[in-house]
Structure formats: structure tokens, C-alpha cells
Amino acid sequence: AYNLIKGKTVSNSALYRYYFCKGMLLQIDRKYAEARQHLESAAVHADINHEAISQKGAAYIAIGTTYKGESRYQEAKDSYFKALLHFHSSDIYGRVTALNNLADIYRILQDYQTALKYIEDAMALLDKEGVTYRYLVLKQTYAEIKLLSGDD
């Protein structure tokens, strides 16, 4: 893919897709610093932002996950908060993902009250849909936080 875009005029959409996918592949290989470089380039080229997808928000969530993989929790939180700023107000799933990730970071840091706040905010966004896969993921995070905080 790189050879196809190198030295050519390429749309932002294609560049976003290339950098995002390359960053995600590097993240899977736990090459976090290199993944972050590609994901940051994806964020620069992100220009789609509507209720179905917020490219910049998705890139910042992925960047946060690279920091989480390195146990750099403050940077991960910063990226997740930045993602929230870039998600379209109607992009419920993107916002829910960012809130769930924030809850998970606060759980890791043993700040259970803050973790509960973010996971409850995420669940409130999904309440209208009933039980879905995403709702079950949130309930799992919620249960882990409650268990670790000693609150049955």
C-alpha cells in the first residue's frame, strides 16, 4: 500500500485509511511507538465526522490504546479525552468506546469512583438500545470495577 501512495497525490480519505490500518497492525504486534506515529498521521488526514464514524476520534482512541499497552496511563487518558472532543455528538458508539476506555484506565489506577462515573455515563448512552454486544462489554467493565472496589 505504501508503494501505491508514495510520491502521488492521494486523497485524505485514502491516507487516513492507510495510516490507520498500518498503525493498528503495528499495535497488534506491540510496536507501540511506531504504531502511534502512523495513528497520529491518520489523525492529521481524518476528515470524516458524522454519526457513523468520526475518524479523528477513532485515531485518538487507538493512540490511547498504544499508551495503555506501555502502561503510560496519563497519556492514554489524555488521548481518550481528546477522542471525546472529536466524536460527532451522534456517534454514540465512538463516545461509548472512549468512555469505556477511560473507565478501564481509572480501574487500573484503582480510582474506582471515577471509573464508575465513566462506565455509568457510557451505559446511559446505550440504555435506549437494550442489550447489545456493546452493552455487555460495558456491563463487564462495570462488574470488574464494582468487584475491585469492594462494592458488591
Side-chain angles (χ1 to χ4, degrees), residues 73-99:
Y73 301 122
Q74 184 58 51
E75 291 98 332
K77 283 192 309 182
D78 292 346
S79 292
Y80 297 145
F81 281 123
K82 194 179 278 190
L84 280 172
L85 294 175
H86 290 283
F87 279 114
H88 188 280
S89 61
S90 298
D91 186 349
I92 300 301
Y93 296 128
R95 292 172 51 213
V96 162
T97 301
L99 291 167

Side-chain angles (χ1 to χ4, degrees), residues 96 99 116-126:
V96 162
L99 291 167
L116 282 172
K117 175 202 175 304
Y118 285 111
I119 200 64
E120 288 169 352
D121 288 350
M123 288 189 305
L125 284 174
L126 285 183

Side-chain angles (χ1 to χ4, degrees), residues 10-137:
V10 180
S11 71
N12 271 345
S13 181
L15 288 171
Y16 171 83
R17 182 54 107 193
Y18 167 75
Y19 286 118
F20 187 83
C21 290
K22 179 71 175 182
M24 295 304 287
L25 289 171
L26 290 164
Q27 182 175 308
I28 290 168
D29 287 340
R30 295 188 169 132
K31 296 178 181 176
Y32 297 121
E34 193 176 348
R36 230 178 349 267
Q37 289 175 342
H38 282 80
L39 294 165
E40 288 167 356
S41 292
V44 168
H45 295 288
D47 54 10
I48 296 175
N49 186 21
H50 52 70
E51 61 277 351
I53 180 68
S54 299
Q55 290 178 330
K56 197 169 288 239
Y60 284 125
I61 283 179
I63 291 167
T65 304
T66 67
Y67 284 123
K68 180 182 174 190
E70 296 174 327
S71 301
R72 294 171 60 183
Y73 301 122
Q74 184 58 51
E75 291 98 332
K77 283 192 309 182
D78 292 346
S79 292
Y80 297 145
F81 281 123
K82 194 179 278 190
L84 280 172
L85 294 175
H86 290 283
F87 279 114
H88 188 280
S89 61
S90 298
D91 186 349
I92 300 301
Y93 296 128
R95 292 172 51 213
V96 162
T97 301
L99 291 167
N100 184 66
N101 289 355
L102 281 165
D104 194 44
I105 293 295
Y106 282 105
R107 178 193 58 82
I108 291 167
L109 297 173
Q110 299 180 350
D111 182 349
Y112 301 121
Q113 287 305 112
T114 305
L116 282 172
K117 175 202 175 304
Y118 285 111
I119 200 64
E120 288 169 352
D121 288 350
M123 288 189 305
L125 284 174
L126 285 183
D127 269 348
K128 297 177 189 120
E129 293 192 1
V131 176
T132 64
Y133 169 76
R134 285 181 171 90
Y135 191 79
L136 294 174
V137 169

